[in-house]
Structures are given as structure tokens and as C-alpha cells.
Amino acid sequence: MRKQYEDFTQLKLKDMSKSISDMTYKYINPETEKPTVVPANHYEKILDQVTEKYMSEITSRQFLNIMYNQLSSLKKEDEKYFQEALLCIDLGLNPKDLRLDEQIALDYTSHFVDEKKDFEKKNFHFLGNDIVEAFKNAKSDPSLQAEYIRESNDVEDKENDAFNQKNYERSER
């Protein structure tokens, strides 16, 4: 049995873009109760971009994933030292240079964090509430999301223009 995806990958760029636009149109926005209109040329511009441009994005995401996995395994290995290391980083302290008062304060704070975590359970966040709230607000604010997307699109357009200009100049030689 052949799947729609297999046919889709065989389409030409224009047809693929129209197909994605049609798929998007079928999504009924729950707020407006209307289909979602995205012109096919929007998808065509995205799909026609040079792959190399996205390599830095892929690399950044991989780097984040590596850091996350490292930190997660360090936390599982010994949460006390993990927390203390984060505190040292956040406070600009080097563990090898800790004075006695800083060592005591670090140990006290580590116990404080443990107690807070036990009390708050799933509501506990190591980061300050203002940072967690900033993340939640940014995630749920459509105007902020739109602003970032517009800025990203502007940067992409400028990069594409520069890339196309270089290719044009090379072909002229």
C-alpha cells in the first residue's frame, strides 16, 4: 500500500508547496473557526532555500541536546553536587577557591533547595519563578511569537538576498 508521503516526495517544488498550502488550509483555527490560509509561495520560499543555511540551526540544536543529556546524567549521578555546581556557576564562584563562609552557605543552600523541592514537589523549579514565568509567557504569547518569526524571516530574506547576489556575481564571471 502506497502512502501519501511517498507521492508527496515525488512532487515538484511548486506542486509540493501548493499541496502543503492545501493541507494547512484544512486546519480549522479553533479561535476563528476558519480555515488557515498560508499562500503556497510561503512554502515554496522555505523549501527552495539552500540546505547549508540550516546546518548551523541543526548544529545548535544538537549542541543543546548534548548539553541537556550531559547535565541530566550529572544530575542523576549526584544531585547534591549538581545543584552546588549550578549555584557556583550562577554566583560566579569557583569551587576550588571557596572560602569557609562560602562553603557553609553553599551547603546550607543545597539543603534549602532539597527541602523546597520536597515541599513544592512538581511545582518546584530550580530557576527563579520570574525566569520560569518568562518562559511560560513567551511560549503562550502569540504576538511575541509572531515578532520573533518576523525577525527571523527578515534575517533569512537578507541572507538569501546576499547568497543569491554572490551566486549571480559568480555566474557573471
Side-chain angles (χ1 to χ4, degrees), residues 8-54:
F8 179 77
T9 59
Q10 303 300 314
L11 294 174
K12 293 186 182 232
L13 180 64
K14 280 196 180 298
D15 294 329
M16 193 179 282
S17 300
K18 288 177 186 174
S19 180
I20 296 172
S21 181
D22 291 343
M23 286 186 269
T24 307
Y25 187 79
K26 289 181 182 180
Y27 176 76
I28 305 297
N29 185 327
E31 293 176 11
T32 63
E33 297 294 325
K34 295 180 182 174
T36 305
V37 179
V38 178
N41 68 350
H42 170 74
Y43 295 113
E44 189 173 345
K45 281 200 285 187
I46 292 170
L47 294 172
D48 198 32
Q49 291 177 356
V50 179
T51 308
E52 294 171 14
K53 190 170 148 190
Y54 290 103

Side-chain angles (χ1 to χ4, degrees), residues 74-85:
L74 288 170
K75 182 180 180 189
K76 288 175 188 168
E77 189 173 314
D78 193 322
E79 192 161 355
K80 178 184 186 314
Y81 291 123
F82 173 78
Q83 290 174 359
E84 289 181 0

Side-chain angles (χ1 to χ4, degrees), residues 83 108-118 124 126:
Q83 290 174 359
Y108 171 83
T109 306
S110 182
H111 289 295
F112 173 82
V113 169
D114 287 339
E115 288 174 7
K116 185 174 176 162
K117 190 179 349 169
D118 289 342
F124 173 80
F126 195 80

Side-chain angles (χ1 to χ4, degrees), residues 70-95:
Q70 281 288 93
L71 291 172
S72 183
S73 79
L74 288 170
K75 182 180 180 189
K76 288 175 188 168
E77 189 173 314
D78 193 322
E79 192 161 355
K80 178 184 186 314
Y81 291 123
F82 173 78
Q83 290 174 359
E84 289 181 0
L86 287 179
L87 284 167
C88 285
I89 290 170
D90 195 45
L91 298 171
L93 301 172
N94 188 333

